[in-house]
Amino acid sequence: MKPQNQSTPNDCLRSCIATLLDYLPQNVPDFVQGDYHAELDENGYPKFWVKLQAFLKELGLSMIEFRISGSFMAPGENGEPEELPILVPWQPLPFSGYCILVGRTNTGVRHMIVGKTAGNTFAPVHDPHPDKPGVVQLEGVCFLVPLDPSIYMAMGAAMGQIKRLTSGTMNQAKWSAVAANAREALGE
């Protein structure tokens, strides 16, 4: 994992994704392009989230977010977006792994940084913002997960070989090729 820094405001998500995928930020779309939750799609979901999921799907991945505090926007019963409280308390994780920590800086700005989690503890690993404000009020934790875990189990050894052959540097084209080869092998 090579830490990537944001070069523009509201670019922490792209920089975190680039860091976790070992991409250069310019190889990851700018999902937010403005305010974090400003634009909703026709189903009431934030447009940045829909764009992010479409990008990750091409890589055989998805992102899930566990909200720890606060609330979230979701389509309500009448189809209109509504703010819903977090109902499920955070449960400790039985594993350690890289994630994206979501929360507020000391100035109240929503921000994302790369972190690592083990049980119910979270440690910052990389803050992509040039001023390194960090997250002082944690609101959620995001994980990249495979859409089809069996593909990733079968590809585990191959990924190690690919990383060794490419000196550990993977870019979007290489990951996309790996995902395409895996889909082809599965007849999809």
Side-chain angles (χ1 to χ4, degrees), residues 79 136 161-162 181:
V136 297
Q161 290 176 347
I162 290 168
N181 289 338

Side-chain angles (χ1 to χ4, degrees), residues 70-81:
S71 60
F72 65 99
M73 296 299 289
E77 290 181 23
N78 64 359
E80 293 295 317

Side-chain angles (χ1 to χ4, degrees), residues 35-85:
D35 196 17
Y36 187 69
H37 281 288
E39 296 182 46
L40 302 178
D41 72 0
E42 63 276 1
N43 296 313
Y45 294 105
K47 285 186 177 180
F48 86 90
W49 188 256
V50 175
K51 292 177 194 175
L52 168 65
Q53 295 296 352
F55 170 75
L56 292 173
K57 183 178 180 183
E58 290 297 314
L59 302 174
L61 298 169
S62 182
M63 179 179 277
I64 57 172
E65 180 177 5
F66 294 94
R67 300 295 300 207
I68 295 173
S69 65
S71 60
F72 65 99
M73 296 299 289
E77 290 181 23
N78 64 359
E80 293 295 317
E82 65 180 60
E83 192 168 356
L84 301 174

Side-chain angles (χ1 to χ4, degrees), residues 3-176:
Q4 300 294 334
N5 294 314
Q6 66 187 74
S7 57
T8 61
N10 294 325
D11 207 20
C12 55
L13 173 59
R14 174 168 54 175
S15 300
C16 287
I17 295 292
T19 298
L20 291 175
L21 295 178
D22 202 17
Y23 280 18
L24 294 173
Q26 60 265 31
N27 293 331
V28 177
D30 183 358
F31 308 109
V32 177
Q33 297 176 340
D35 196 17
Y36 187 69
H37 281 288
E39 296 182 46
L40 302 178
D41 72 0
E42 63 276 1
N43 296 313
Y45 294 105
K47 285 186 177 180
F48 86 90
W49 188 256
V50 175
K51 292 177 194 175
L52 168 65
Q53 295 296 352
F55 170 75
L56 292 173
K57 183 178 180 183
E58 290 297 314
L59 302 174
L61 298 169
S62 182
M63 179 179 277
I64 57 172
E65 180 177 5
F66 294 94
R67 300 295 300 207
I68 295 173
S69 65
S71 60
F72 65 99
M73 296 299 289
E77 290 181 23
N78 64 359
E80 293 295 317
E82 65 180 60
E83 192 168 356
L84 301 174
I86 302 302
L87 301 176
V88 180
W90 177 255
Q91 298 296 316
L93 296 172
F95 61 87
S96 174
Y98 290 104
C99 59
I100 295 176
L101 302 176
V102 182
R104 303 283 172 176
T105 66
N106 59 0
T107 60
V109 174
R110 189 172 174 90
H111 188 45
M112 297 179 175
I113 64 173
V114 176
K116 195 165 188 179
T117 179
N120 60 358
T121 62
F122 305 96
V125 173
H126 172 64
D127 186 340
H129 193 279
D131 296 336
K132 311 292 184 213
V135 169
V136 297
Q137 180 184 349
L138 188 63
E139 296 175 351
V141 180
C142 297
F143 294 95
L144 295 178
V145 295
L147 292 172
D148 183 348
S150 66
I151 292 174
Y152 284 85
M153 293 299 292
M155 291 174 36
M159 291 294 188
Q161 290 176 347
I162 290 168
K163 281 206 172 207
R164 283 191 294 280
L165 291 172
T166 60
S167 302
T169 302
M170 293 296 284
N171 61 31
Q172 184 174 359
K174 292 176 187 175
W175 278 115
S176 295

